[in-house]
Amino acid sequence: MKRAEATLLMVRRFSERFTESILLIILVALGVGVASSAIDLASRTWQWSRQILDVPEYREIVVGMRDEADAM
């Protein structure tokens, strides 16, 4: 099959099922947007948590005796 024929068949199928084609394009675009947003959110959350942990006040660890934990 020639390239022009394949293009013609694709255009014809797109025009015959216009609503389904538009919905498919919208859903694919939304899926890509959601995936990229989730990846960005995860990376920003990881960066923010690393910045929080670098603050000296949050790095302090309180260590007590084991007997005191049992008394609590």
Side-chain angles (χ1 to χ4, degrees), residues 49-62:
S49 66
R50 296 303 312 163
Q51 288 174 352
I52 290 280
L53 290 175
D54 287 340
V55 175
E57 291 83 16
Y58 288 107
R59 295 183 88 185
E60 294 178 7
I61 298 175
V62 178

Side-chain angles (χ1 to χ4, degrees), residues 5-22:
E5 292 176 7
T7 306
L8 181 63
L9 285 174
M10 189 170 60
V11 169
R12 186 178 300 154
R13 179 163 233 169
F14 182 80
S15 64
E16 288 175 357
R17 298 177 178 228
F18 185 72
T19 305
E20 292 90 350
S21 300
I22 294 297

Side-chain angles (χ1 to χ4, degrees), residues 28-40:
V28 168
L30 285 174
V32 169
V34 166
S36 65
S37 295
I39 291 169
D40 185 53

